[in-house]
Amino acid sequence: MSWVILTGKKGDLDETATPYKIITNRDYLAHPALFRGQRPKVINLSSSYAYQSRGYYASLLASSRGHRVIPSVETMIDLSARKLYENALPELEQALNRCRNELGGSFPASVSIFFGIGPEKAWERFAKLLFDWFRAPALEVVIKDGEWATISRIGFRSLSRMNADEKDRFTASLHNYTTRQWRDSRTRVPARYGFATLIDPREELPPSSVASLKHWSRIAARMGVEVEPITRKDLPRLANFDALFIRETTSISNHTYRFARRAEQEGMPVIDDPLSMIRCTNKVYLNELMTTHRVPVPPTMMIAGTADLERAADQLGFPLVLKTPDSSFSRGVKKAANMTELKALATTWLEDSDLLIAQKFLPTSFDWRIGVLDGKPLFSVQYLMAKKHWQIVNHERQGRPDEGGFRSFTLADTPSDVLEIAVRAARCIGNGLYGVDLKATPEGVYVIEVNDNPNLDHGCEDAGERDAVWISLTQWFIDRLER
């Protein structure tokens, strides 16, 4: 996959500035058959990105042609008015003011940032963050200096407005951005695609271990896919890859959501996608969704304040389970044995969340976890409760969290009602990868939650279906790239 540079008119960019093909946006728009059968990455350097301009249509049609493009139409719209990007300003201004000492105590009236690179190293932190928010080749930031510097405007900077020094810096930044150094020549099959896997090497309980991801990498290599681990610092180079698999615990309030959103904007297949994150990470929404679609869940009540506690106790009985909306893997999930415990716990948690979930306690010695990919069962495993504890992970133990064991099953050996209900629950969310937790009780099978980035480890979740799990996962990405 190669790069293509679009300009407003011939001569805007010196032909010797880059080894990649340079064409005008007019030629790109007029010849839809250009690059047919290819997946070029397009850098749109049009002189204007205004709505319905050639620059705007170049990015719009690049997306429809299956070409990855920077800037995207979404970025153009985001930067068309201050009110559309003002939610980014607090974080950007904080990063900006951290640069003050390195810049000698004051700021210029404006600064130009090219591909996330500033005019000097002192701008590095701010420039990368700006590029994280708005992936555009050239941006101009107008600054109002003071005791706390503020950002008056963020806008695109065209080639025609750059002086000679800026054009030299832009050319160097362009070269830096388009240079790819991550390919590994040892791949058995020449890699057709490069997949990024987002990990946090310091995470205590990651969804997949490094060893498991290396196992996947070996299988993917045989399918023509190269897998490379990336971390939160690598958002600026995400577009160098074809797909993204997020393998750290997700949250819509941290960088994992930004990675997912950026991948989606780039037209990259991604697990977990932003919408699945939003749906799965909030248990209030999840309970409403399952109930609406008649997926069986434990008797549940929404807690909006301490006044609801008596009603919850009457309807659910004790002990009952209280959950924060964003609970995951036994975190933010507590059991209350009586009203005193319930009031104390709810009072504390309601300081941070307007809503909580209370559920009837269904004691079992294990939870089913069914992996579902694209609306089809992928793996089956039972997670056993931690020793002398009612959850699969005991976070109250001093030191490292205590996990229960597991028992892996083939899909053929898994009860049909467990599989059927798990698939119904996952299809309410989307067509990505989900881990559906269920409890099998004498009264029936109940969905406890749907996880948007389920654990997937070699020797555990894949023990039943073996390498078919990883092959199906890889093929899911390939199918979407080749549509």
Side-chain angles (χ1 to χ4, degrees):
M1 185 175 9
S2 186
W3 296 88
V4 174
I5 314 296
L6 304 185
T7 59
K9 61 181 186 297
K10 288 183 178 180
D12 278 354
L13 187 67
D14 191 331
E15 295 282 347
T16 63
T18 174
Y20 304 109
K21 187 172 184 64
I22 301 175
I23 62 174
T24 65
N25 53 29
R26 181 191 291 270
D27 288 339
Y28 181 78
L29 293 171
H31 299 90
L34 278 174
F35 316 112
R36 181 168 290 168
Q38 305 175 47
R39 288 177 54 83
K41 292 177 292 186
V42 178
I43 297 178
N44 184 354
L45 302 182
S46 298
S47 55
S48 172
Y49 301 122
Y51 182 60
Q52 294 191 336
S53 66
R54 286 199 190 100
Y56 177 89
Y57 276 115
S59 285
L60 186 66
L61 295 187
S63 177
S64 70
R65 295 172 185 177
H67 304 167
R68 300 239 297 279
V69 63
I70 171 177
S72 65
V73 167
E74 290 87 351
T75 299
M76 295 176 188
I77 293 172
D78 283 346
L79 292 178
S80 64
R82 181 185 171 88
K83 64 182 179 182
L84 297 179
Y85 62 78
E86 62 185 3
N87 63 319
L89 296 181
E91 187 179 7
L92 288 169
E93 288 175 353
Q94 187 175 44
L96 176 67
N97 281 276
R98 287 177 181 172
C99 301
R100 184 183 295 277
N101 290 339
E102 297 173 57
L103 290 169
S106 62
F107 294 100
S110 66
V111 61
S112 295
I113 305 296
F114 303 144
F115 296 98
I117 301 173
E120 53 188 290
K121 187 172 176 58
W123 292 97
E124 182 176 9
R125 179 186 299 168
F126 173 76
K128 285 184 176 179
L129 182 62
L130 181 70
F131 195 59
D132 286 350
W133 274 101
F134 310 108
R135 282 196 62 253
L139 292 171
E140 182 181 48
V141 181
V142 178
I143 303 168
K144 183 179 180 181
D145 202 1
E147 185 176 346
W148 179 264
T150 58
I151 296 173
S152 300
R153 185 179 66 85
I154 302 173
F156 297 105
R157 186 163 181 81
S158 66
L159 288 169
S160 61
R161 292 179 53 209
M162 296 181 193
N163 58 36
D165 290 340
E166 284 182 315
K167 281 196 173 180
D168 288 343
R169 183 163 67 84
F170 177 85
T171 300
S173 300
L174 171 66
H175 175 76
N176 181 77
Y177 180 73
T178 55
T179 301
R180 300 176 71 177
Q181 299 177 336
W182 50 268
R183 289 288 187 195
D184 185 350
S185 61
R186 294 174 295 172
T187 303
R188 294 187 209 174
V189 177
R192 290 180 294 159
Y193 302 112
F195 292 1
T197 305
L198 180 63
I199 64 169
D200 178 359
R202 298 170 297 178
E203 186 169 2
E204 194 169 36
L205 295 173
S208 295
S209 67
V210 172
S212 296
L213 294 174
K214 287 181 178 178
H215 177 76
W216 177 44
S217 179
R218 289 190 290 270
I219 293 172
R222 298 196 294 267
M223 300 174 69
V225 171
E226 185 174 18
V227 174
E228 181 180 343
I230 62 172
T231 67
R232 62 183 301 168
K233 296 180 180 179
D234 293 313
L235 184 58
R237 69 186 189 101
L238 181 60
N240 286 359
F241 300 92
D242 300 298
L244 173 65
F245 187 29
I246 298 176
R247 288 286 83 193
E248 60 175 291
T249 302
T250 53
S251 171
I252 60 173
S253 61
N254 72 12
H255 63 279
T256 56
Y257 180 76
R258 189 177 300 168
F259 269 81
R261 184 173 177 270
R262 178 62 49 76
E264 196 172 67
Q265 289 175 340
E266 292 289 340
M268 300 165 61
V270 54
I271 294 175
D272 320 317
D273 64 274
L275 186 57
S276 292
M277 281 191 194
I278 292 170
R279 288 175 170 173
C280 288
T281 55
N282 191 288
K283 301 302 179 286
V284 173
Y285 172 86
L286 200 60
N287 179 71
E288 292 278 337
L289 184 67
M290 296 297 108
T291 302
T292 299
H293 288 83
R294 301 184 183 278
V295 176
V297 295
T300 302
M301 278 194 59
M302 192 180 301
I303 305 296
T306 54
D308 294 325
L309 300 182
E310 290 283 356
R311 189 161 56 93
D314 290 341
Q315 293 189 19
L316 303 177
F318 287 110
L320 59 76
V321 177
L322 197 65
K323 299 181 178 182
T324 58
D326 58 353
S327 57
S328 65
F329 223 81
S330 301
R331 299 182 184 92
V333 180
K334 297 283 187 180
K335 184 172 65 171
N338 50 55
M339 181 58 72
T340 301
E341 290 184 6
L342 179 60
K343 283 183 177 179
L345 185 58
T347 300
T348 300
W349 281 355
L350 284 168
E351 292 178 1
D352 298 319
S353 176
D354 288 341
L355 296 176
L356 302 175
I357 285 289
Q359 283 187 335
K360 183 178 179 63
F361 177 52
L362 301 178
T364 56
S365 59
F366 64 84
D367 285 352
W368 281 104
R369 165 65 64 83
I370 305 300
V372 180
L373 177 65
D374 201 15
K376 304 178 187 67
L378 182 69
F379 63 78
S380 174
V381 65
Q382 288 178 350
Y383 293 151
L384 309 181
M385 300 304 160
K387 187 176 181 181
K388 296 181 179 180
H389 193 62
W390 62 281
Q391 294 171 290
I392 60 179
V393 181
N394 184 359
H395 293 282
E396 296 173 0
R397 180 174 173 264
Q398 289 187 345
R400 183 178 173 83
D402 184 26
E403 296 183 73
F406 67 89
R407 292 190 291 256
S408 299
F409 291 77
T410 64
L411 295 174
D413 289 336
T414 304
S416 59
D417 56 345
V418 171
L419 290 178
E420 186 265 334
I421 292 173
V423 168
R424 283 172 53 198
R427 286 177 176 171
C428 293
I429 305 297
N431 63 359
L433 172 64
Y434 310 102
V436 185
D437 293 343
L438 311 98
K439 285 186 179 291
T441 74
E443 291 75 32
V445 177
Y446 298 94
V447 172
I448 303 302
E449 63 181 325
V450 181
N451 301 275
D452 61 288
N453 74 331
N455 278 37
L456 187 51
D457 271 321
H458 182 44
C460 179
E461 285 79 14
D462 71 351
E465 298 298 314
R466 301 188 180 278
D467 286 352
V469 171
W470 303 101
I471 292 170
S472 295
L473 174 67
T474 310
Q475 192 63 48
W476 183 92
F477 287 106
I478 293 174
D479 288 345
R480 279 150 183 78
L481 288 168
E482 295 184 347
R483 283 177 178 172

